[in-house]
Amino acid sequence: MKDMYKHMASEISEEIKQIIMFFSNQRNLPALIHCTRGKDRTGFISAVIQLYAGVPYKIVMDDYLFSKQLIAVPMKKKEKFIQWISLFRDPPEHIKPILEAREE
């Protein structure tokens, strides 16, 4: 997961720039950003936009970590599903980092 976030921060900077430019145009507002769970790509770009707009880091991080509470039940089901399809070769400690919102 850390590698994916590093990739988003360093390798898709042009796409992030396009998104920020889109939101900087008043004609495009209000806008809605959403996805299935909101933790990864949507959470990342939402955090970037908030930080760019001057929202304090602590508030952005608290909002991101709140996702963990909101997605806990569906992610527990997904964890069990992944264990089943891996024939229980993937232990929960390998699956949870993919499914949870974590500060690191």
Side-chain angles (χ1 to χ4, degrees):
M1 290 310 295
K2 288 179 185 178
D3 288 342
M4 184 187 80
Y5 282 97
K6 286 178 186 175
H7 170 77
M8 286 192 295
S10 62
E11 301 297 323
I12 61 168
S13 57
E14 185 58 38
E15 290 85 350
I16 292 172
K17 177 183 172 185
Q18 289 176 10
I19 293 168
I20 290 172
M21 294 302 293
F22 176 85
F23 286 118
S24 65
N25 184 335
Q26 289 290 325
R27 290 179 290 180
N28 297 325
L29 300 177
L32 173 66
I33 304 172
H34 67 88
C35 73
T36 305
R37 299 286 179 235
K39 163 182 102 60
D40 296 317
R41 293 163 302 196
T42 302
F44 180 82
I45 196 63
S46 296
V48 168
I49 291 168
Q50 290 176 62
L51 292 168
Y52 185 74
V55 177
Y57 178 84
K58 171 130 178 52
I59 292 173
V60 173
M61 183 57 73
D62 288 347
D63 283 352
Y64 173 75
L65 293 175
F66 184 62
S67 298
K68 188 174 184 175
Q69 295 172 25
L70 297 175
I71 62 176
V73 172
M75 289 303 177
K76 191 67 177 166
K77 290 178 183 177
K78 193 172 276 191
E79 178 186 328
K80 288 186 185 296
F81 175 74
I82 292 170
Q83 284 184 294
W84 274 101
I85 64 171
S86 74
L87 300 174
F88 294 90
R89 291 179 297 208
D90 288 325
E93 60 269 12
H94 291 170
I95 299 168
K96 285 183 180 185
I98 298 168
L99 302 176
E100 293 179 342
R102 296 180 172 185
E103 187 168 357
E104 66 272 8

